[in-house]
Amino acid sequence: MLEQGVLTRISVSNGSDLQTDRGFSVGDSAAAIKAAYGADAQVSPHKYAEAPAEYITVWTDGPSDEPYREDADARGVVYEIGTDGNVSMIHVGGPSIQYVEGCA
């Protein structure tokens, strides 16, 4: 994702064999991700799909009480979990990882 000419987010989905710094990729289970990150994993309901679909967000500087990060220097990863309980997409980058919609 580009915003005002700056790369702010990279998203991967089915067909990608890329892994996060913790070794997770599309198809891995939500349970494994939650176990690996522990209290650093912030879980929120999926906007468009029924549970067990959800978002698991992890910020490099740890969880926050703020509902939305706006600091341009913030970095994190969002594991988008599908209705099968597995990762369907991964978003990495700055605050734009919080956007539910992508860009075309």
Side-chain angles (χ1 to χ4, degrees):
M1 176 178 286
L2 294 172
E3 294 181 283
Q4 299 177 357
V6 176
L7 179 65
T8 62
R9 178 171 104 178
I10 296 172
S11 298
V12 296
S13 59
N14 290 335
S16 173
D17 59 356
L18 294 176
Q19 297 180 340
T20 65
D21 62 334
R22 296 277 184 110
F24 291 113
S25 59
V26 173
D28 286 330
S29 74
I33 292 166
K34 291 174 187 175
Y37 286 103
D40 286 340
Q42 295 177 294
V43 179
S44 57
H46 199 284
K47 183 170 173 104
Y48 297 114
E50 296 295 321
E54 61 189 357
Y55 304 104
I56 302 172
T57 304
V58 182
W59 294 99
T60 57
D61 62 348
S64 171
D65 292 333
E66 298 175 28
Y68 188 82
R69 298 263 177 127
E70 295 186 41
D71 179 2
D73 293 328
R75 296 293 176 264
V77 58
V78 172
Y79 297 95
E80 189 169 336
I81 308 301
T83 55
D84 62 355
N86 296 320
V87 177
S88 61
M89 293 189 78
I90 301 172
H91 311 284
V92 297
S96 63
I97 64 172
Q98 301 166 106
Y99 300 162
V100 176
E101 286 82 17
C103 54

